[in-house]
Amino acid sequence: MAVPSNILIVGAGVFGLSTALSLTKRHPTSQVTLLEASPTIPNPHGSSVDTSRIVRADYSNPIYARLAVEAIERWRNTEWGHEERYIQNGLLLVYPDGDSSGKDYALKSYHNVKQLEGNNVELLASEKDVLRVAPAFGPNLGVSGGYINWGSGWSNAEESVRYAKKKLDAEGRVRVQTGEVNRLLFGDATDKRKVTGVVLSDGSSLTADLVILATGAWTAKLIDLRGRAVSTGQALAYMHITDDEQRRLAHMPTILNFSTGMFILPPRNNLLKIACHAYGYINTKPAPVPGAKNGQLANISLPDVDVPIPKAAEQEFRLALKQLVPSIADRPFCKTRVCWYTDTPEGDFIVTHHPDYSGLFVATGGSGHAYKFFPVLGDKVVDALEGTLDKELRDSWAWPAPVDEATFFGTEDGSRAGPKGMHLTEELAKDKKAQRTSTL
């Protein structure tokens, strides 16, 4: 399949940057424009801009386990991982007594990754075994077992996005432009299903032979993704720690509890991050349905930026810290953030031509786990553009059939925890009401 000569990529996150890098290598004669809403890259509101992201091959789905091994090879052995953009500290997956789903996911992941990483992976049959490999945690973790994969690690997300942008700048083949997309631009009256570019919020437009939407949690503003992807907000928080605490925790493995979703990454520069890989929060609001006639409105979950995390999330973080690092559990958080995922029903990415609109390609649906594939993801997107993508990925990343919106609150791949269907605006409204009541 021929790749067009004039390509517009909308969004300079992991999907967009990696695709631009791969296009410059494999199709150097194509004119590529990368359009980003933020005047700075990384975009401070993007999902891959904070201090750390887990890099693991620990999946219950063997397709992603194998793809992660390919990506980790580049994190370990190429410039992608230089200058501490990748640190291999290990990943400790645990589960408590009585949680069959968390244990089931962890054991499936263990068997997959054991075949790939061999002696790097050890099954931990008890809490005592867990504390043996992570002595700085505890002493009462409240878990019954898990496993450690010393072949996994973490990456400095913000610096890696910055590295990819610098790499693009150095090659000088991609035009980078700032602008917020208001809507897609379609062909004339004879071909209303052909996408010919985008219209920006200032009324100007950009045209291209092919538009690639790599717009993450904002994609639902531009195309109808109801039942296929939903934007969910995930809470995270940071805490300052002392030099002694930094030394004690710096070389611990990342710990991830598949029952609660809580995880802590090794701190850097006296800053500890705690976060939750959960169903998170939806943020529905009435919005025009993209492509619908007569201005049809629907409740669509879209990101709100610069909002606090709900108090309930902060309390859950403190409960987790009381088990993991009790000495700092009551210390104030210096920063919190809601990170926006683009969840698909089973956690599969959407990397394919749009079935209804010619000239439009979609690369989104990261479902909270796309970042780790940064060094190889663009190559796979370009494979899909060319029609050469491996069949198992092509089938997994095809345009999905919709599921019931009424029951679709996030990815159901076995790795998510917590309640479903929480509304961010409602949770924040409860906090405001409680604060007003407490001051009366």
Side-chain angles (χ1 to χ4, degrees):
M1 188 181 299
V3 172
S5 59
N6 183 4
I7 301 171
L8 172 63
I9 302 171
V10 184
V14 168
F15 278 98
L17 284 168
S18 61
T19 300
L21 285 168
S22 295
L23 282 171
T24 61
K25 287 185 298 183
R26 292 165 54 175
H27 297 276
T29 61
S30 290
Q31 178 185 331
V32 179
T33 299
L34 181 63
L35 179 66
E36 169 56 49
S38 169
T40 61
I41 299 174
N43 182 332
H45 301 306
S47 63
S48 298
V49 295
D50 82 63
T51 55
S52 48
R53 285 290 184 274
I54 298 173
V55 175
R56 61 181 173 99
D58 304 80
Y59 282 94
S60 65
N61 185 332
I63 293 174
Y64 290 102
R66 288 192 292 270
L67 184 61
V69 167
E70 184 180 342
I72 289 171
E73 186 68 19
R74 294 197 191 179
W75 283 116
R76 289 172 178 166
N77 299 312
T78 72
E79 286 188 359
W80 278 98
H82 290 182
E83 299 176 328
E84 294 195 325
R85 286 187 289 269
Y86 173 70
I87 295 175
Q88 190 165 304
N89 64 302
L91 176 64
L92 173 60
L93 280 83
V94 297
Y95 48 83
D97 281 320
D99 179 16
S100 58
S101 62
K103 183 176 181 179
D104 182 61
Y105 186 96
L107 291 179
K108 285 180 180 178
S109 174
Y110 165 78
H111 289 298
N112 283 335
V113 83
K114 182 70 174 177
Q115 297 179 51
L116 299 169
E117 289 284 356
N119 292 334
N120 279 330
V121 184
E122 178 188 353
L123 191 65
L124 305 171
S126 68
E127 182 178 74
K128 182 179 179 180
D129 291 323
V130 171
L131 289 170
R132 171 174 53 81
V133 301
F137 295 132
N140 299 305
L141 295 180
V143 302
S144 63
Y147 75 88
I148 181 75
N149 177 9
W150 293 111
S152 292
W154 63 275
S155 172
N156 186 323
E158 182 174 352
E159 288 304 316
S160 296
V161 170
R162 189 169 285 117
Y163 162 76
K165 171 60 164 54
K166 287 180 179 178
K167 192 174 175 66
L168 269 185
D169 291 342
E171 293 173 352
R173 295 176 182 168
V174 172
R175 181 172 65 129
V176 179
Q177 186 167 333
T178 301
E180 182 177 354
V181 174
N182 184 46
R183 61 180 175 84
L184 297 175
L185 183 65
F186 290 90
D188 58 28
T190 62
D191 193 358
K192 293 182 179 180
R193 290 287 180 176
K194 180 174 177 56
V195 174
T196 58
V198 296
V199 178
L200 306 185
S201 57
D202 64 3
S204 64
S205 61
L206 293 174
T207 59
D209 300 321
L210 178 70
V211 174
I212 300 175
L213 289 185
T215 38
W218 285 263
T219 310
K221 290 176 61 177
L222 304 174
I223 57 174
D224 188 356
L225 288 176
R226 290 175 298 168
R228 294 181 171 90
V230 62
S231 299
T232 62
Q234 311 289 327
L236 58 91
Y238 289 94
M239 177 182 291
H240 290 304
I241 60 174
T242 66
D243 290 342
D244 180 62
E245 291 162 345
Q246 171 67 43
R247 284 190 293 270
R248 183 161 55 92
L249 296 169
H251 301 294
M252 286 296 98
T254 299
I255 184 167
L256 171 58
N257 187 326
F258 269 137
S259 174
T260 64
M262 294 293 174
F263 63 94
I264 291 181
L265 291 108
R268 284 296 181 271
N269 302 319
N270 298 83
L271 196 63
L272 180 79
K273 171 185 171 181
I274 182 169
C276 190
H277 183 66
Y279 289 101
Y281 306 91
I282 58 174
N283 195 45
T284 54
K285 55 189 70 177
V289 176
K293 296 179 180 180
N294 303 320
Q296 178 187 353
L297 296 179
N299 286 322
I300 298 172
S301 184
L302 293 169
D304 274 339
V305 298
D306 295 327
V307 294
I309 65 172
K311 293 296 183 185
E314 182 174 335
Q315 291 166 3
E316 290 297 322
F317 287 161
R318 297 207 179 279
L319 287 173
L321 286 169
K322 284 180 180 178
Q323 288 187 316
L324 293 166
V325 197
S327 62
I328 66 173
D330 296 322
R331 191 172 301 172
F333 292 119
C334 61
K335 177 185 176 183
T336 65
R337 180 172 180 247
V338 176
C339 176
W340 291 97
Y341 288 2
T342 316
D343 282 342
T344 61
E346 297 182 8
D348 290 318
F349 308 154
I350 303 174
V351 180
T352 186
H353 292 274
H354 195 286
D356 298 326
Y357 303 133
S358 62
L360 181 64
F361 189 92
V362 182
T364 189
S367 302
H369 71 110
Y371 173 83
K372 64 182 64 62
F373 305 107
F374 204 171
V376 300
L377 188 55
D379 289 340
K380 305 305 179 184
V381 174
V382 176
D383 286 347
L385 284 170
E386 296 172 342
T388 61
L389 184 64
D390 178 271
K391 184 180 185 304
E392 65 178 7
L393 289 177
R394 185 174 71 248
D395 291 345
S396 296
W397 296 353
W399 186 254
V403 299
D404 183 0
E405 289 180 75
T407 57
F408 176 32
F409 301 116
T411 293
E412 298 283 2
D413 65 350
S415 72
R416 300 297 177 90
K420 300 179 184 180
M422 291 190 296
H423 290 252
L424 181 62
T425 52
E426 292 178 4
E427 296 301 310
L428 294 177
K430 290 177 188 176
D431 294 343
K432 287 184 178 180
K433 182 178 180 181
Q435 184 177 20
R436 286 196 303 268
T437 301
S438 66
T439 59
L440 292 178

